[in-house]
Amino acid sequence: MYKKLFINKTLQNNEFKQIISLLEQKNISISFVETKTDFTDKDNALFIGINTQDSDLAQELNIDFALATWSCHDFKHIQAKYYFRQPYDILNTLTMIEKPYINHKWLTTAMEMQFIAQAGLAYTKDDFDYERFTRLSEMAAEIMSEYVDLPVEKVKTLFCNETGYQTPKLDTRSVIFKDDKILLVKERDGRWSLPGGWVDVNQSICDNLIKEAKEEAGLDVVPTRLIAIHDRNRHNVPLYAYGITKIFMLCEVISGKFNQNIETSASAYFTLDNLPNLSLGKNTKEQIELCFAAYKDKNWVPVID
């Protein structure tokens, strides 16, 4: 990923300053530029500009280009590798896992085989093809079993148990603030996360946010503003063998109080500089930082992978 940003000098304003310190904390060098001579040490660099001239200059210098669309009134025909809708999109892109599957060819092969098999089993009308797709699903499970050291039957239960066209699963996270602190709940393994979980089949996104906040934190909430939609495997570890879309939303508390339950043993509010041991598969420090940024910005534009 990029280690240096060249940024059109006209973007050096209060709107952009909010993320400069966060970028520098990630050891990303920042240079504001006006002319071609301002570009030095272009290795692993990204140029963020505002118009066609900037795009052409990036091409001439042979470096990647990103367009700051919030400062560009008409970006039709402007070619860019990235189109940033707001400054925080930059941090989100630069801190995500760039190619989560790059060293896991066996996993991507098994995932694709299972995807083809599952779709085939859902739509084929031919008995012979049904047998072939069933065998393809079994082969995907065998590959997974070989690498994850689980019995094939267990892998089939976890990895090959769905029907129909395969799509990412949905996970919601309720983001609740009080006195400039964020609410986290303590899970049974001792780690902390934002209240949330899988979206039930009979729940909408907002319904699920409300349900999870009640079940895990004891709070009655109203979802108010979308913060982000993340591709989980680009932000969280460990890598999963299926896609997950994570949805973060700010929620306002109406009433309620925490009660111990089968999922969580405590709840508490934390400042950004005093976070507990996080459940990284569910939320990272970067995702918590993103939540704080959205909370402080009433004109927040959602970050969407």
Side-chain angles (χ1 to χ4, degrees):
M1 189 49 75
Y2 305 106
K3 297 297 182 183
K4 184 166 188 176
L5 296 182
F6 293 109
I7 303 170
N8 186 302
K9 195 170 184 179
T10 61
L11 295 173
Q12 193 175 11
N13 51 35
N14 291 331
E15 190 173 21
F16 195 87
K17 287 180 180 178
Q18 58 182 313
I19 69 158
I20 290 179
S21 62
L22 293 175
L23 288 166
E24 291 175 339
Q25 288 173 25
K26 309 299 180 186
N27 296 316
I28 297 170
S29 172
I30 298 174
S31 297
F32 289 95
V33 295
E34 269 188 305
T35 65
K36 183 178 178 179
T37 58
D38 293 331
F39 291 81
T40 59
D41 188 17
K42 299 187 291 294
D43 291 341
N44 295 320
L46 176 69
F47 177 29
I48 302 174
I50 61 172
N51 51 36
T52 303
Q53 290 73 30
D54 286 343
S55 176
D56 292 342
L57 179 57
Q59 187 171 4
E60 179 185 345
L61 296 172
N62 195 30
I63 60 175
D64 288 344
F65 178 69
L67 184 69
T69 63
W70 72 88
S71 289
C72 181
H73 298 298
D74 182 7
F75 47 95
K76 187 177 181 180
H77 304 308
I78 299 179
Q79 296 299 313
K81 184 170 183 178
Y82 304 102
Y83 295 88
F84 295 137
R85 297 179 303 127
Q86 59 124 307
Y88 214 97
D89 273 338
I90 302 168
L91 183 65
N92 186 65
T93 298
L94 268 58
T95 56
M96 72 169 56
I97 301 170
E98 187 176 11
K99 297 178 181 178
Y101 298 104
I102 192 169
N103 296 317
H104 299 84
K105 179 63 177 177
W106 63 270
L107 178 58
T108 56
T109 298
M111 290 173 65
E112 186 173 359
M113 289 171 66
Q114 174 56 23
F115 169 78
I116 294 170
Q118 186 171 311
L121 290 169
Y123 297 115
T124 187
K125 299 292 191 292
D126 186 280
D127 291 341
F128 293 103
D129 279 345
Y130 192 90
E131 289 183 1
R132 295 185 185 99
F133 287 127
T134 299
R135 178 57 187 142
L136 187 62
S137 180
E138 291 172 348
M139 291 169 65
E142 289 166 5
I143 293 174
M144 288 291 294
S145 176
E146 182 71 21
Y147 283 91
V148 300
D149 196 27
L150 286 175
V152 173
E153 292 305 317
K154 181 69 172 178
V155 172
K156 286 181 180 179
T157 301
L158 296 172
F159 182 56
C160 308
N161 66 338
E162 295 186 12
T163 59
Y165 193 85
Q166 194 175 60
T167 61
K169 297 177 180 291
L170 291 176
D171 171 86
T172 62
R173 294 290 148 182
S174 301
V175 181
I176 301 164
F177 282 90
K178 179 181 178 182
D179 299 328
D180 294 332
K181 297 179 181 180
I182 197 167
L183 177 72
L184 299 175
V185 292
K186 189 175 184 180
E187 300 176 349
R188 291 297 175 174
D189 64 3
R191 295 179 297 174
W192 294 75
S193 69
L194 297 163
W198 298 124
V199 178
D200 289 347
V201 68
N202 61 344
Q203 300 284 321
S204 69
I205 298 299
C206 286
D207 287 343
N208 206 70
L209 287 157
I210 294 168
K211 178 181 75 70
E212 292 290 340
K214 184 65 172 179
E215 290 179 352
E216 296 189 359
L219 299 178
D220 299 302
V221 303
V222 175
T224 56
R225 288 194 289 139
L226 177 64
I227 297 174
I229 301 176
H230 270 176
D231 178 338
R232 182 209 172 275
N233 282 339
R234 296 188 182 189
H235 296 272
N236 302 84
V237 293
L239 184 66
Y240 281 3
Y242 45 84
I244 298 173
T245 298
K246 295 179 67 67
I247 300 168
F248 298 82
M249 278 197 73
L250 280 169
C251 297
E252 292 292 333
V253 176
I254 304 301
S255 60
K257 64 179 182 178
F258 178 79
N259 292 299
Q260 284 201 14
N261 56 83
I262 61 173
E263 295 184 77
T264 59
S265 60
S267 72
Y269 288 88
F270 297 89
T271 59
L272 186 55
D273 59 2
N274 190 35
L275 295 175
N277 183 26
L278 297 174
S279 179
L280 297 180
K282 298 179 179 178
N283 41 222
T284 64
K285 183 180 179 182
E286 286 78 15
Q287 287 168 330
I288 301 295
E289 288 174 343
L290 185 149
C291 293
F292 270 89
Y295 165 68
K296 295 175 181 178
D297 184 356
K298 300 303 181 185
N299 297 313
W300 179 260
V301 177
V303 171
I304 302 174
D305 284 344

